[in-house]
Amino acid sequence: MSRSTSADLDQAIRREYRHDRMLRVRDLGLAILTPVLLLIIWELLALVGVLDRRLFTPPSEIVVRAAEMTVSGQILPHVVATVARLASGFVLGAIVGIAVGLLMGLSRPMRAALAPTFTALYALPKIAILPLLLLIFGLTETPKVLSVAISVFFVVQINTLAGIVQIDDRTLEAARAYRATGWKLFRYVLLPAATPSIMTGLRVAAGMAVIVITAVEFVASDNGLGYLIWNSWQLFQPSTMFVGLITVSLIGAVVTGLIILLERAMVPWRSAGRSRRIREVGTR
């Protein structure tokens, strides 16, 4: 390869990297600007009277109320209670869901036996199971944690099973040709191939878990952010209600962000794929 050709390739690769970096900066800017713009519009509409301030508390007043609740320690016990239930239920449901999904994917008889039942149970609204759990375990923490765990279980199990089932037969044939069987086949072929689907399931389950724990706390708890939101509505305290709603949203965003970081660590070839494609463009 001549020096001029090599220089042209290096210049093309640098252009691709600069373009990719600019797109990332633009996307980050849009992600920050959009909610800020919506909050400004909300504040202005409340200021001019288009929105009823008694119902739609302006963001500035919500910030003041949030600061008051934080300084007084009023909101901290509710956050701790919700996060504890959410974390316990999510971890339990994810572990069992991954294990059952892998077993069903590896065992056709088990898949045939359990798939119809799980399909029927998945369609059942998870919050509808709460009365049964309350009858069995009473007004304890167990029904709240199990409600989250059951919701997470089905989403993760379905995605894990799909990740195993959709593996290309040619991949399995190639693995067997290299004498990959048993644990080696599972560790180096099946599990890595299913990991992207598992991580997708965890991301979807995270949002569902936040919804379920909030709904459960509406009706079966005397603390937690769901209780705070519902109690504020009953007492007609919209500013406190909005603080609870925003806090729930932030918790959901943090949980999803942690799963995205875990996905990048568990599936590094996804992020590396774009860099490889950029290099391939430069070598054409």
Side-chain angles (χ1 to χ4, degrees):
M1 182 181 295
S2 64
R3 292 184 178 179
S4 60
T5 303
S6 178
D8 291 340
L9 290 177
D10 290 340
Q11 187 176 2
I13 293 174
R14 284 195 294 270
R15 282 199 303 267
E16 290 291 338
Y17 274 113
R18 283 197 300 269
H19 179 66
D20 182 65
R21 188 164 55 249
M22 290 176 59
L23 289 178
R24 291 176 181 271
V25 172
R26 183 203 64 182
D27 293 345
L28 178 61
L30 290 174
I32 297 174
L33 181 62
T34 299
V36 171
L37 183 60
L38 291 175
L39 291 175
I40 292 174
I41 294 174
W42 182 358
E43 182 78 27
L44 293 176
L45 291 178
L47 183 65
V48 300
V50 175
L51 294 178
D52 190 342
R53 299 172 67 96
R54 296 171 298 177
L55 301 178
F56 299 95
T57 307
S60 58
E61 296 182 15
I62 296 174
V63 171
V64 172
R65 179 56 181 156
E68 293 174 351
M69 295 177 68
T70 302
V71 172
S72 66
Q74 180 182 352
I75 196 172
L76 182 60
H78 297 292
V79 174
V80 171
T82 297
V83 170
R85 294 162 185 155
L86 180 64
S88 302
F90 187 85
V91 171
L92 176 61
I95 292 174
V96 178
I98 292 173
V100 173
L102 290 174
L103 290 174
M104 291 177 64
L106 297 173
S107 173
R108 182 167 181 172
M110 181 176 291
R111 185 162 67 247
L114 297 180
T117 301
F118 283 174
T119 300
L121 292 176
Y122 176 70
L124 180 68
K126 306 307 173 291
I127 192 64
I129 304 175
L130 179 62
L132 176 61
L133 296 176
L134 290 173
L135 284 175
I136 298 173
F137 300 102
L139 294 172
T140 63
E141 291 296 306
T142 303
K144 303 162 194 174
V145 173
L146 287 180
S147 296
V148 176
I150 292 171
S151 304
V152 172
F153 165 79
F154 283 106
V155 176
V156 175
Q157 177 267 324
I158 289 172
N159 281 270
T160 303
L161 174 60
I164 293 291
V165 173
Q166 70 184 7
I167 297 176
D168 195 334
D169 291 337
R170 291 172 294 183
T171 302
L172 298 177
E173 292 175 1
R176 294 190 182 99
Y178 284 97
R179 298 181 180 179
T181 58
W183 168 250
K184 289 185 177 180
L185 179 65
F186 174 78
R187 170 65 180 83
Y188 296 105
V189 179
L190 298 180
L191 187 58
T195 298
S197 294
I198 294 174
M199 301 309 302
T200 299
L202 291 176
R203 291 179 63 176
V204 175
M208 182 175 292
V210 173
I211 294 172
V212 169
I213 191 58
T214 304
V216 166
E217 290 176 345
F218 277 177
V219 298
S221 182
D222 58 359
N223 59 5
L225 292 171
Y227 166 79
L228 176 67
I229 294 168
W230 186 256
N231 189 58
S232 301
W233 173 80
Q234 290 180 315
L235 299 176
F236 196 73
Q237 298 174 343
S239 59
T240 303
M241 182 183 68
F242 278 116
V243 171
L245 289 171
I246 293 173
T247 305
V248 169
S249 300
L250 292 176
I251 290 175
V254 169
V255 173
T256 302
L258 292 175
I259 294 175
I260 291 175
L261 293 177
L262 178 63
E263 181 178 9
R264 291 180 179 176
M266 298 292 293
V267 196
W269 55 88
R270 275 190 169 181
S271 57
R274 179 168 179 81
S275 299
R276 185 167 54 252
R277 288 194 296 269
I278 292 175
R279 288 194 297 269
E280 289 174 353
V281 169
T283 57
R284 288 177 184 173

